[in-house]
């Protein structure tokens, strides 16, 4: 029997029908690259969403989104403060080193893979203003975090305030930004705070091959356009990427899909409160369990990743079936 | 009246129905990144096509394909011999400088944007083996060339022989490799010669968002996999890219589509032999004409790029309508 | 009263008379760059010193030596295992990021800034062989370490054995290699073990503007020569750097000078055993002391760096006067 | 018989006694790196020389000076307009690619390796403002040029005017700036024009291991200080480099030495006007001559480089003996 109930990754989920439909509709001759009408519409779509002027670029992956955004903020001789378990540090195959030309990731602590002003200061304050030490040029946080934790608006605001004090731009990795918004119940503007750029995730949320970088400072977007081409990320049929992003953003699908995924995660978490490694605030559920327990779950048809030796990670998606989530909840409760 | 007959770029063409169909079929839960069955099938598909062991990776763009391929061959302190008008020199926004970490493009001459052993030697021979001068690490040619010219198998073989003599790997930019094969009527193996890597174009040929890098030396592919991730080009739903590539390769669609595009180009060229800047050997037609003539063509509904002050470039695609090609041919004849 | 007894840094010490003399003797017309007789003699001098074939290059700084050496071992998409407090991580202004084109430093633990096979394994073992994670390409250790600790030959051998098992080249940062050898009383060959490259320090040991990179694998040196030029480190009057290095190496001055510096450090340490942060095995003495105590020492004419809030670092040099060392020892004893 | 009259390179010349003396005087304990009094004096020395606020850094080589200066002006995705035969293009082993992280050299034409506003426009004007093409970020000229030609103040001013119009900073490679000033008889301020940074050569002019980068915009110097460290060019005994530079600049030695070298070049050129490839305006004499003629000159004890197949390059230095220059002049006249 193969895996029938998949909680491996939201990356593995299907593409939402509305995304398919938008892509189909985009299949007509158009100006290549980002000269088409759909690509041109992205700035307006995000400006509307965030209630302020935005400049937005599509790219194929979250890694490219994060690194291109940061490359507009960080000189090669500088550094980026991020969490020790941030995606840019752990899972991008050294892409920040490539895109930032050797700039340094400066690793900060924080519960649930979330930074705090204090944990950022712990990194910043010991750095002498001295050429022997790499100087910080930016801060990057992840909303929701790598452990599915959401920054509250006040938390973001406090970090942004510190960033402003120190003259550091703020980047938000929002691969699961939609999940954070759905959980927080706040506006996207509150959930991103006064950041300078946001990697706005779509692929994990029902998209296929498109993410967006949203720049709240248009001057950065102008640099990013050159960097995107230089990184081989300016696709000639960009209209198919723009179509995906617009299908997500213009209709509110981004939030609906994330809400569904979050609900499934909550259903799973409901029965296993005592085993949870982290409060569930997005679409990821980290559950303490033994190898034998994991084996038994797999035998029952559940797919997921081990998380170290003593835990498992379950990820829900926009299309997780309620019965699968409940089955998993039940199975976890029965462990 | 808008443009109704578009010869701007094969990049602007529609996606072939078979590609759509393959993408649709790929929309089921699968291992993320390149762990899915479709991605895993690519090596076999290209090994079959070329009659020797190949390792193939999908990427989103030709720029990424070229630069990732070269990054496996060229150290940062080395150089790549290419034509002065090669795509990597002219149109990639400095991507080779990025991917090769500052390695140098060493520009050679050659009619129709094609290199010859002699024109390559003209670059190589004056380079002293001396640390003050950048040393060549690879050769890159384009099949078909940037002016739509096809290297004959004997021409490729002669370049490959020189490359071997000098210990230089050979890369082939095949953004329009299919068009070259269709024109030459030879096997793809003959059309690529004993190269080390080929950027195999799909997007200009009816694909949507996927190109392939074909490595004839699997050791290079192993490096490229790390570099692809590091460049943010490892897409999590890679199955949709693999589907496009397989739809092209496994069924012979790549050759059929290119044949259609080539035929349209020949139809256009047939009436304007005396105005042609270059023999038409693929799907591009470069026509000498004045600004006034171009204006008149545009007024009649033809879309195309100016090529400098005195010429126009017309590009056909897999779906160029015969009547449009004939209309253009007639209009050119009537200039 | 200014500082009269300087223990700030061996970098601040005078140039040894024999070095001056050798530089003077080098001041005659010679082939530029490294074509002169002195530069050509370096390979032989180090081959003699280490009893095996070496290829040696002069460079201006230890940072350049370390980074050029590593650049021959590490691909841009790889990483270097080093101690969390290694000079390359802490004090080189991000130079490894620059020279290695964004490769990653992978930080290991270890008492006294020394790595052990176990602490290296703690870094290596969790790394999945997976493109999402940076893979290790080399190991770098410092002999003597940043806390003035010397690796015993058996310790180096165990690390080298692990490196060999994992297929990782081994680099030794020997900014104070001479001090380690003088302390250990072993041959330089034993003190470096079966490493692939050594940054052989001279500037801290009575030199002026020259360090050496010693390659035990000549193929790496051939790459390093190109990289040195590319980094702007191929000096046109290189004979003056070669002269410094040869003055150190050919006569045994390197060991004599280090012995003097070590003796001064031992004299200082002798009276403060209970305050020592680290055993003294080279020419650095780290002493726990309060701000008030440091102020009192400075008031008495001693120059040194604070080491955090609770300690001071005293560094001796080849020309530290015995009476100054004894005066410091006495002052520390009297705290 | 060995070579007795050396015209190979000013790089091979001896170190001037005043430089030696200044280095000797610098050999006392001082703050390391550039914290010493001599390094601190450099800004004032150059501000005095140029009659405006300057910030100056020592570095070991002209390659490092050029590339560090440019690295403060050019983003990795940009380009530098320079002459096709500029030192940065021809002789720096790809260092600009390294220091500028893959930025592109944009090659312009011009007689005697000098750019003109027109030749710069020929490069700039065809560049579309389009992400597919690398955009210019700076202009670099060489004073005196690689063929020993001096830009007149009006020529520099015209280029600077164009640079300002296009928003491009201007860098001057002054490896032989002193020779240009000595020839022009103008102030250094006139000879550099309103440039943003100057690589001020010392090594070819009687120095040993120090060049200076002079920034006319202090903000660029602040970036350069970090980049210098990151490139391994911040020497710990920097006082010995500062001493060399100050010995050159504060006393006027830079101009006297260059005047001597120029006079020797004029003496040589005087007898061979009809064979000169370029007017002699600095300390280089390019003479058309056959291989047999070159062999005969070498047989008579003259050392020099071949310049292609049909010419020779003779370089004079501050210490070229008058009798050697006259002997060469005579030998050339007798060819």
């Amino acid at each position: 029997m193969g895996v029938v109930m998949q909680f491996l990754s939201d990356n593995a989920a299907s593409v939402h029908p509305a995304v398919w439909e938008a892509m189909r509709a985009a299949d007509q001759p158009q100006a290549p690259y980002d000269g088409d009408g759909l690509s041109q519409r992205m700035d307006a779509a995000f400006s509307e969403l965030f209630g302020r002027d935005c400049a937005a670029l599509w790219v194929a992956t979250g890694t490219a989104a994060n690194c291109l955004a940061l490359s507009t903020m960080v000189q090669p001789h500088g550094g980026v403060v991020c969490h020790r378990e941030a995606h840019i540090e752990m899972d991008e195959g050294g892409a920040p080193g490539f895109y930032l030309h050797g700039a340094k990731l400066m690793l900060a602590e924080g519960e649930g893979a979330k930074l705090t002003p204090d944990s950022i200061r712990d990194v910043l304050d010991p750095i002498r203003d001295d050429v022997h030490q790499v100087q910080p040029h930016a801060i990057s946080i992840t909303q929701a975090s790598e452990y599915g934790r959401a920054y509250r608006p006040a938390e973001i605001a406090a970090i942004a305030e510190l960033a402003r004090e120190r003259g550091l731009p703020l980047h938000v990795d929002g691969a699961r930004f939609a999940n954070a918004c759905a959980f927080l119940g706040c506006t996207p503007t509150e959930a991103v705070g006064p950041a300078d750029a946001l990697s706005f995730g779509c692929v994990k949320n029902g998209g296929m091959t498109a993410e967006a970088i949203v720049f709240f400072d248009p001057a950065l977007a102008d640099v990013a356009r050159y960097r995107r081409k230089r990184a081989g990320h300016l696709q000639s049929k960009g209209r198919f990427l723009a179509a995906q992003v617009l299908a997500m953003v213009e209709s509110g699908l981004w939030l609906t899909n994330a809400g569904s995924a979050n609900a499934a995660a909550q259903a799973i978490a409901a029965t296993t409160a005592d085993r949870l490694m982290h409060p569930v605030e997005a679409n990821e559920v980290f559950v303490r369990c033994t190898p034998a327990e994991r084996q038994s779950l797999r035998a029952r048809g559940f797919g997921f990743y081990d998380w170290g030796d003593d835990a498992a990670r379950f990820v829900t998606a926009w299309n997780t079936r309620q019965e699968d989530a409940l089955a998993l909840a039940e199975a976890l409760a029965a462990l």
Side-chain angles (χ1 to χ4, degrees), chain A residues 48-63:
Chain A
E48 168 84 14
L49 187 67
F50 286 103
R52 55 178 152 152
D53 275 359
C54 296
L57 285 73
W58 42 253
V59 285
T61 67
T63 293

Side-chain angles (χ1 to χ4, degrees), chain A residues 3-49:
Chain A
V3 169
V4 292
M5 290 165 287
Q6 194 53 275
F7 297 92
L8 197 67
S9 174
D10 35 11
N11 278 330
S14 294
V15 172
H16 191 278
V19 171
W20 274 116
E21 195 178 329
M23 291 175 75
R24 274 290 192 186
D27 195 12
Q28 31 187 317
Q30 274 271 8
Y33 303 107
D34 60 356
D36 62 286
L38 296 169
S39 297
Q40 299 289 314
R41 214 161 82 198
M42 282 179 55
D43 290 1
F46 281 103
S47 298
E48 168 84 14
L49 187 67

Side-chain angles (χ1 to χ4, degrees), chain A residues 90-103:
Chain A
M90 296 294 282
D91 295 300
E92 301 193 346
F98 181 45
Y99 276 84
L100 307 184
H101 298 289

Side-chain angles (χ1 to χ4, degrees), chain A residues 34-327:
Chain A
D34 60 356
D36 62 286
L38 296 169
S39 297
Q40 299 289 314
R41 214 161 82 198
M42 282 179 55
D43 290 1
F46 281 103
S47 298
E48 168 84 14
L49 187 67
F50 286 103
R52 55 178 152 152
D53 275 359
C54 296
L57 285 73
W58 42 253
V59 285
T61 67
T63 293
N66 289 336
C67 292
L68 283 170
L70 288 168
S71 78
T72 67
M73 303 173 177
V74 178
Q75 290 285 303
H77 60 283
V80 180
V81 181
C82 67
H83 194 278
R84 181 174 301 286
E85 303 192 68
H87 198 263
I88 54 175
E89 164 66 10
M90 296 294 282
D91 295 300
E92 301 193 346
F98 181 45
Y99 276 84
L100 307 184
H101 298 289
K104 188 173 181 171
L105 299 186
M106 304 171 139
L107 306 180
E109 309 294 336
E111 197 257 318
K114 285 170 61 184
L115 299 184
T116 64
D118 279 350
S119 77
I120 295 170
R121 272 188 215 101
D122 285 347
V123 168
L124 296 179
D125 289 350
I127 299 173
R128 302 184 309 271
D129 180 8
D130 172 333
V131 298
H132 296 266
Q133 297 198 302
V134 177
Q135 303 298 307
H137 285 198
I139 298 173
S140 179
I141 62 175
T142 308
Q143 170 77 305
S145 86
E146 285 71 13
Y147 286 118
R149 302 292 309 279
Y151 286 90
R152 272 50 175 183
E155 292 174 328
I156 298 258
I159 289 173
E161 175 60 24
L162 173 61
R164 193 167 32 238
E165 272 172 40
R166 304 292 176 109
L168 301 174
L170 178 62
H171 165 252
V172 176
D173 175 354
R176 294 189 180 95
F177 182 69
N179 301 284
C181 290
F183 171 78
L184 294 168
C186 67
T187 65
T189 301
E190 290 167 323
V192 73
D196 297 278
L198 167 69
S199 302
F200 183 94
C202 295
V203 174
K204 293 177 193 295
N205 197 24
M208 183 197 284
T209 56
E211 308 281 89
I213 319 175
V214 183
F215 288 99
F216 301 106
D217 173 352
L220 299 184
D222 289 341
V223 174
R225 276 182 243 281
Y226 284 96
R227 300 273 183 147
R228 176 174 64 174
K229 171 61 200 177
R230 190 176 191 239
H233 275 287
L234 180 66
Q235 299 196 32
S236 57
K237 296 186 180 172
R239 59 195 183 273
F240 293 104
L241 284 83
Q244 297 176 54
V245 173
L246 294 175
M248 281 286 165
V249 172
E250 291 183 335
S251 66
L253 184 64
W254 68 285
L255 200 55
T256 319
N257 277 359
S260 302
N262 284 7
Q266 292 297 343
I268 295 165
T271 63
T272 52
D274 54 335
R275 285 177 176 263
L276 293 178
M277 290 174 64
H278 303 281
V280 175
E281 302 178 353
N283 63 328
E284 297 181 287
V285 187
F286 294 84
V287 176
R288 286 186 206 87
C289 52
T290 65
E293 290 169 336
R294 295 198 296 273
Q295 193 176 339
S296 114
L297 289 168
R298 289 199 169 101
R300 300 175 60 179
F302 298 104
F304 55 89
Y305 279 120
D306 288 352
W307 200 260
D309 291 336
D310 304 320
R313 186 190 76 162
F314 303 91
V315 186
T316 58
W318 67 275
N319 65 342
T320 297
R321 289 179 300 178
Q322 199 183 2
E323 58 267 35
D324 291 358
L326 293 176

